């Protein structure tokens, strides 16, 4: 079962994401990844295998600076375990990064539609369809694009989304897949399980189905 962690605040995000993902290892996974905004663009690092492989790649998070990011541990459903199929999945231009728990049932039809419109796909995942749809619908308003996407996709999802155009926020959405928000002082979190953020906050909000949350510092 996949795991999600997201952080926005004033501390370095990557070490917090790794620590949160470590607490979710019990759920089972075959790959892990993080996406962090470094002040210029989204830096995405992913690795097949244990979380330690990812952690070693980025020196415990020190090599991926930035104070907003999302992380994920993946259990393969669409596509084999691989670096490319790991989350976060990103849009064509690298503007959007998405982590996702659940299954998008109509992803093949949506993927076909997007490919006909010129979008290039690199993974076998249903999650990449969400990232590509976000970019397709994005006209300067991230929340508007998110709403259009969730009105198109069918299935279950817990989503964490960041966009390089506005790294002052993380957008989270839930439908039929658990997702919580953790509230801190000058920092906020998302996670698929409370255990991921208990060392940071015990002030928790559990998202209801079809709720969208915009997290800022």
């Amino acid at each position: 079962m996949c795991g999600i962690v997201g952080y926005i605040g004033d501390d370095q995000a990557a070490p917090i994401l790794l620590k949160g993902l470590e607490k979710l290892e019990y759920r089972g996974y075959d790959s892990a990844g993080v996406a962090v905004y470094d002040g210029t663009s989204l830096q995405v690092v992913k690795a097949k295998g244990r979380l330690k492989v990812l952690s070693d790649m980025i020196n415990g998070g020190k090599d991926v600076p930035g104070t907003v990011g999302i992380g994920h541990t993946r259990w393969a459903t669409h596509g084999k375990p691989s670096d490319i199929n790991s989350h976060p999945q990103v849009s064509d231009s690298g503007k959007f990064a998405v982590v996702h728990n659940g299954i998008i049932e109509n992803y093949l039809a949506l993927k076909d539609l997007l490919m006909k419109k010129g979008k290039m796909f690199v993974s076998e995942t249903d999650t990449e369809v969400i990232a590509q749809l976000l970019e397709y619908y994005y006209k300067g308003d991230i929340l508007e694009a998110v709403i259009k996407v969730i009105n198109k996709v069918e299935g279950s999802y817990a989503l964490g989304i960041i966009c390089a155009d506005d790294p002052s926020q993380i957008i989270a959405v839930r439908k039929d897949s658990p997702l919580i928000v953790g509230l801190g002082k000058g920092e906020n979190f998302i996670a698929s399980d409370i255990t991921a953020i208990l060392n940071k906050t015990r002030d928790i909000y559990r998202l209801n189905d079809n709720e969208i949350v915009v997290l800022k510092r």
Side-chain angles (χ1 to χ4, degrees), residues 1-7 24 27 70-72 98-102 156-161 170-182 189-197 204-215:
M1 192 175 178
C2 307
I4 287 173
V5 181
Y7 173 80
L24 299 177
R27 298 163 70 95
I70 50 178
H72 193 265
V98 178
V99 289
H100 165 225
N101 291 355
S156 62
Y157 46 82
L159 302 174
I161 299 163
I170 296 174
I171 295 181
V173 190
R174 182 214 167 179
K175 180 178 179 290
D176 299 328
S177 191
L179 194 64
I180 63 171
V181 170
F189 309 82
I190 57 170
S192 48
D193 191 318
I194 192 172
T195 57
I197 56 175
I204 303 297
Y205 175 76
R206 298 181 185 277
L207 272 70
N208 294 311
D209 267 353
N210 301 308
E211 280 193 317
I212 302 173
V213 175
V214 179
L215 274 75

Side-chain angles (χ1 to χ4, degrees), residues 23-38:
K23 298 295 184 183
L24 299 177
E25 285 190 290
Y26 74 92
R27 298 163 70 95
Y29 66 100
D30 51 49
S31 57
V34 297
V36 177
Y37 183 76
D38 69 357

Side-chain angles (χ1 to χ4, degrees), residues 16-84:
I16 294 171
L17 298 176
L18 290 172
K19 183 67 71 174
L21 293 175
E22 184 181 313
K23 298 295 184 183
L24 299 177
E25 285 190 290
Y26 74 92
R27 298 163 70 95
Y29 66 100
D30 51 49
S31 57
V34 297
V36 177
Y37 183 76
D38 69 357
T40 304
S41 61
L42 295 178
Q43 298 300 312
V44 180
V45 186
K46 308 187 288 186
K48 176 186 172 184
R50 306 304 296 173
L51 184 62
K52 188 179 186 305
V53 176
L54 174 67
S55 183
D56 288 348
M57 284 175 65
I58 58 177
N59 191 22
K62 295 176 184 177
D63 293 347
V64 189
T67 58
V68 56
I70 50 178
H72 193 265
T73 48
R74 174 180 185 257
W75 188 259
T77 51
H78 293 95
K80 64 186 178 182
S82 69
D83 293 357
I84 290 174

